[in-house]
Amino acid sequence: MQTVNTLRMLRTALAQLRDGNATIALVPTMGALHEGHLTLVRRARAEADHVVASIFVNPKQFGPSEDLDAYPRQLAEDAAMLEAEGVALLWAPDAGTMYPPGFATSIAVAGVSEGLCGAARPGHFDGVATVVCKLFNQVAPDMAFFGEKDFQQLAVIRAMARDLDLTAPHVDAIIGVPTVREADGLAMSSRNRYLTPEQRAAAAILPEVLATAAQTIAAGHQPVWLAKSVVEDELELAGFRIDYIEVVDSGTLAPIGALSDRPARILVAARIGTTRLIDNMAIERGT
Ligand code: PAF
């Protein structure tokens, strides 16, 4: 695996990889890799000739009260993991390369970026859309892979690609990969490392109550408002402070009060101690 950190080196390395018609898949990350990221890489390897991974801790998606400096950075360890998974090229620019002096452009995706995490983290999805658009333009991949754990992020990136008529990758080649979970169901996240042993034990209730709510709503046993209120009560009892619990149309992310024939999803963001966890699950009729 080659690691590059300038645009010139990236272009040269990509030209070598392309070598005619070879396909390239991009797996964008901020590092601090775990099994969830490695699952994206494995899926990408199965679909494309070469996998390019990026590691860039994007300052533009951190709010003023969010600690950019404290975000875990472990480039050597991450690079070893990517190499072991067969990644061909690691793109690891620094902030000056990504946002040189005079950088003045921001991409704002209205609608899907506004509620849920967008309401709690103003500007976050503008930062995500801007950096992902840049990564797409820099690498020009045939396809790109993102985790469904960040379900709203995936919707924002797809909307951006659709609205801006991106071709590398085309919106249909932006692939969402199901959330990878720990043995007790907790969604894998770089943030889980911040949990104390007690908080980590308590956090297992999050996927449990979410799955129960999804099944209860799908089966028609409880209306959406009641299922949401049960999730809220159970999480608060376990020591969480709720940011939001919402049932949404999976395509538009608009909140819904009842199921229709369109796919629906339940999403939650909640804090335990100082750590903010998010999770989401499909509400599948007939489950
Ligand atoms: O999900 C992430 O790790 C980041 O938000 C992403 C997509 C790499 C953009 O910085």
Side-chain angles (χ1 to χ4, degrees):
M1 184 184 76
Q2 200 185 346
T3 300
V4 294
N5 54 20
T6 68
L7 282 165
R8 186 188 294 263
M9 288 164 80
L10 177 67
R11 279 186 207 115
T12 307
L14 284 170
Q16 280 161 6
L17 282 186
R18 282 264 175 225
D19 188 29
N21 283 332
T23 53
I24 288 179
L26 175 66
V27 178
T29 81
M30 296 208 301
L33 303 182
H34 50 67
E35 196 56 29
H37 298 107
L38 301 183
T39 302
L40 300 182
V41 170
R42 284 175 208 138
R43 182 70 203 283
R45 275 202 73 195
E47 306 281 340
D49 295 320
H50 302 296
V51 178
V52 176
S54 64
I55 295 183
F56 177 62
V57 182
N58 175 31
K60 290 198 184 291
Q61 68 187 79
F62 286 77
S65 62
E66 298 171 349
D67 200 350
L68 168 66
D69 294 333
Y71 196 86
R73 286 161 175 88
Q74 44 171 63
L75 189 61
E77 205 178 320
D78 288 343
M81 285 192 241
L82 294 171
E83 180 154 35
E85 292 296 336
V87 168
L89 178 64
L90 171 57
W91 170 222
D94 62 17
T97 302
M98 208 52 139
Y99 302 119
F103 184 89
T105 301
S106 178
I107 297 179
V109 183
V112 286
S113 75
E114 284 168 18
L116 309 167
C117 287
R121 304 180 69 190
H124 169 70
F125 287 120
D126 297 359
V128 170
T130 304
V131 82
V132 170
C133 190
K134 281 179 69 79
L135 291 166
F136 284 175
N137 286 333
Q138 291 162 346
V139 176
D142 298 277
M143 59 197 93
F145 291 78
F146 297 88
E148 283 186 348
K149 171 171 168 287
D150 295 297
F151 197 76
Q152 189 176 15
Q153 166 172 282
L154 181 58
V156 169
I157 292 166
R158 284 188 168 135
M160 186 253 310
R162 184 199 60 216
D163 291 354
L164 298 182
D165 304 313
L166 297 191
T167 54
H170 183 271
V171 59
D172 294 339
I174 295 174
I175 316 289
V177 177
T179 303
V180 180
R181 297 179 179 281
E182 304 282 358
D184 63 3
L186 184 66
M188 288 201 185
S189 166
S190 310
R191 294 181 176 204
N192 293 352
R193 67 181 70 193
Y194 299 130
L195 300 172
T196 64
E198 295 73 31
Q199 290 166 347
R200 174 63 190 81
I205 197 174
L206 183 62
E208 197 180 308
V209 294
L210 215 53
T212 306
Q215 281 159 17
T216 312
I217 296 169
H221 292 152
Q222 273 176 355
V224 165
W225 67 266
L226 181 55
K228 277 167 43 180
S229 138
V230 171
V231 171
E232 187 173 335
D233 289 350
E234 293 193 12
L235 289 182
E236 280 178 356
L237 212 61
F240 280 92
R241 281 166 293 120
I242 314 295
D243 213 340
Y244 62 78
I245 298 160
E246 204 50 90
V247 173
V248 303
D249 177 299
S250 302
T252 63
L253 300 196
I256 55 173
L259 292 189
S260 68
D261 52 2
R262 289 180 52 82
R265 213 148 179 115
I266 183 163
L267 295 93
V268 65
R271 282 170 209 275
I272 186 155
T274 53
T275 307
R276 184 174 184 271
L277 299 178
I278 58 171
D279 201 351
N280 68 85
M281 286 182 195
I283 298 176
E284 283 161 349
R285 281 175 191 274
T287 58

